């Protein structure tokens, strides 16, 4: 047809160009654990708000997870981030923060990083502390760790990880815990006990989804903590054949004993979980596979039919450092 007549078809493209991005319904939330290698970056979306928990690793002086993964992901989803929460100062959790903050100038920054940290010059940082709460679209957010007084004493960076609990209107929860270790897990259980909630109940910690502490390191995920949280799903963000040996076989054994289904980004790619559906996390590599993606040899892990990536036959994880 002549171009003059073809022009009449342009308005028919508007619905496709202006199609709104699908968001969770009011009262529910969605987790998206990004595929960023050895590090942490989880997007938490409600009906009208977005939080980014950690910003992944820095790969080199010229490249990081923010520039290579998170900024393009946020742009593709049309996300306007309200809060960036950096759990602690380790580079595999804040390596991509500069790129994300530059692309999201309106985002508030919440973290446990020290006053002299370089990121303080980019954005005013609000200290995360247990007891901080807010509500977005019927979804409750609460920080459980660290305590405000913990900043007055020198502690390992892992011990200062900001622990975030997210709860929807139906009471379904997700627990994002950074790199806390067994001592901090015990502190969380003790506080629940002191408030009149037994560790067995885990009423203040019980969650459907647990972002496994410290990428599955043997320093974390104690038996008592797993019993208190009693997750249905454990998300692991770790790099393929990483030098730390994450996730540790002992941790996987504890999860297996409790029937916890394991989803790791090595085999799954990005993992998406909706509190409204409350089913298994959706693996993006299975949902939208591409020929260039490496197929990691899997091995079954009992627990809701989940699988976990393991090294090829004849190889083993390195010792945990």
């Amino acid at each position: 047809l002549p171009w003059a007549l073809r022009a009449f078809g342009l308005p028919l493209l508007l619905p496709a160009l202006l199609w709104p991005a699908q968001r969770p319904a009011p009262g529910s939330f969605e987790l998206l654990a990004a595929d960023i290698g050895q590090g942490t970056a989880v997007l938490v979306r409600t009906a009208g708000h977005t939080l980014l928990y950690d910003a992944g690793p820095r790969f080199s002086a010229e490249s990081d997870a923010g520039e290579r993964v998170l900024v393009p992901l946020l742009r593709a989803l049309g996300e306007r981030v309200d809060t960036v929460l950096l759990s602690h100062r380790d580079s595999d959790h804040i390596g991509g923060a500069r790129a994300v903050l530059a692309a999201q100038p309106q985002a508030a920054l919440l973290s446990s990083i020290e006053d002299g940290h370089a990121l303080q010059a980019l954005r005013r940082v609000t200290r995360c502390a247990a007891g901080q709460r807010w509500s977005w679209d019927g979804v409750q957010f609460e920080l459980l760790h660290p305590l405000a007084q913990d900043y007055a004493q020198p502690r390992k960076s892992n011990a200062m990880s900001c622990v975030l609990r997210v709860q929807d209107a139906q009471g379904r929860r997700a627990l994002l815990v950074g790199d806390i270790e067994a001592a901090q897990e015990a502190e969380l259980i003790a506080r629940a006990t002191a408030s009149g909630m037994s560790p067995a109940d885990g009423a203040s910690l019980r969650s459907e989804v647990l972002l496994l502490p410290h990428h599955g390191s043997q320093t974390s995920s104690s038996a008592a903590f797993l019993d208190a949280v009693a997750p249905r799903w454990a998300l692991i963000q770790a790099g393929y054949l990483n030098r730390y040996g994450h996730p540790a076989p002992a941790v996987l054994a504890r999860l297996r004993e409790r029937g916890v289904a394991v989803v790791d980004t090595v085999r799954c790619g990005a993992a998406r979980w909706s509190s409204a559906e409350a089913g298994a996390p959706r693996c993006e590599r299975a949902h939208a596979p591409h020929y260039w993606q490496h197929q990691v040899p899997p091995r079954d892990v009992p627990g809701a039919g989940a699988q976990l990536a393991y090294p090829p036959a004849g190889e083993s994880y390195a010792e945990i450092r």
Side-chain angles (χ1 to χ4, degrees):
L1 295 176
W3 282 105
L5 293 179
R6 294 184 191 184
F8 287 107
L10 292 177
L12 300 177
L13 297 176
L14 291 179
L17 297 175
L18 302 178
W19 193 266
Q22 187 175 4
R23 300 197 65 90
S28 65
F29 67 93
E30 178 188 85
L31 298 180
L32 178 59
D35 184 7
I36 41 78
Q38 183 67 23
T40 297
V42 180
L43 203 62
V44 185
R45 305 168 72 228
T46 68
H49 295 81
T50 301
L51 177 142
L52 179 64
Y53 184 90
D54 282 338
R58 185 178 183 185
F59 306 124
S60 68
E62 296 80 25
S63 177
D64 58 65
E67 179 184 38
R68 292 185 59 183
V69 180
L70 299 176
V71 170
L73 173 64
L74 294 169
R75 186 179 298 123
L77 295 175
E79 292 292 340
R80 183 182 185 275
V81 177
D82 297 277
T83 299
V84 173
L85 198 169
L86 302 176
S87 62
H88 62 300
R89 69 172 181 262
D90 287 2
S91 62
D92 57 334
H93 293 256
I94 68 169
R98 285 180 175 273
V100 171
L101 292 173
Q104 300 284 337
Q106 77 291 330
L109 182 56
L110 188 62
S111 183
S112 65
I113 61 174
E114 62 273 19
D115 291 340
H117 196 282
L119 287 176
Q120 295 275 7
L122 298 181
R123 192 75 46 91
R124 179 181 177 274
V125 179
T126 300
R127 278 183 172 177
C128 62
Q132 292 172 329
R133 301 181 182 89
W134 67 95
S135 176
W136 285 342
D137 310 307
V139 177
Q140 305 303 315
F141 293 76
E142 182 175 1
L143 285 163
L144 306 182
H145 185 82
L147 298 175
Q149 55 265 35
D150 290 340
Y151 289 93
Q153 52 188 327
R155 305 187 82 185
K156 289 174 58 179
S157 60
N158 287 351
M160 294 299 291
S161 293
C162 305
V163 175
L164 178 67
R165 183 180 67 194
V166 188
Q167 178 175 311
D168 74 0
Q170 304 301 317
R172 300 186 185 98
R173 294 172 172 174
L175 194 61
L176 310 179
V177 297
D179 281 355
I180 62 170
E181 299 181 351
Q184 292 75 56
E185 294 173 355
E187 290 175 22
L188 289 169
I189 296 171
R191 288 173 211 157
T193 303
S195 64
M197 303 172 184
S198 74
D201 282 343
S204 67
L205 297 176
R206 189 175 296 274
S207 303
E208 276 72 20
V209 176
L210 171 66
L211 180 65
L212 209 63
H214 202 174
H215 319 285
S217 168
Q218 65 180 4
T219 62
S220 310
S221 301
S222 63
F225 185 67
L226 293 178
D227 288 339
V229 180
R232 291 183 60 198
W233 306 96
L235 296 179
I236 302 177
Q237 286 185 301
Y240 178 55
L241 295 181
N242 63 87
R243 64 191 180 97
Y244 305 106
H246 298 158
V251 170
L252 296 177
R254 288 197 286 273
L255 293 169
R256 183 165 54 245
E257 290 167 2
R258 289 159 178 78
V260 181
V262 178
V263 177
D264 74 311
T265 53
V266 169
R267 190 186 67 88
C268 186
R272 189 188 301 263
W273 183 79
S274 168
S275 72
E277 299 172 3
R282 187 180 81 177
C283 291
E284 292 300 321
R285 283 196 178 186
H287 181 73
H290 299 288
Y291 70 89
W292 60 80
Q293 291 170 334
H294 175 55
Q295 297 301 311
V296 179
R299 169 177 155 188
D300 287 343
V301 173
Q307 289 185 317
L308 182 70
Y310 275 73
E315 298 183 20
S316 61
Y317 284 120
E319 289 294 321
I320 306 296
R321 298 192 178 188

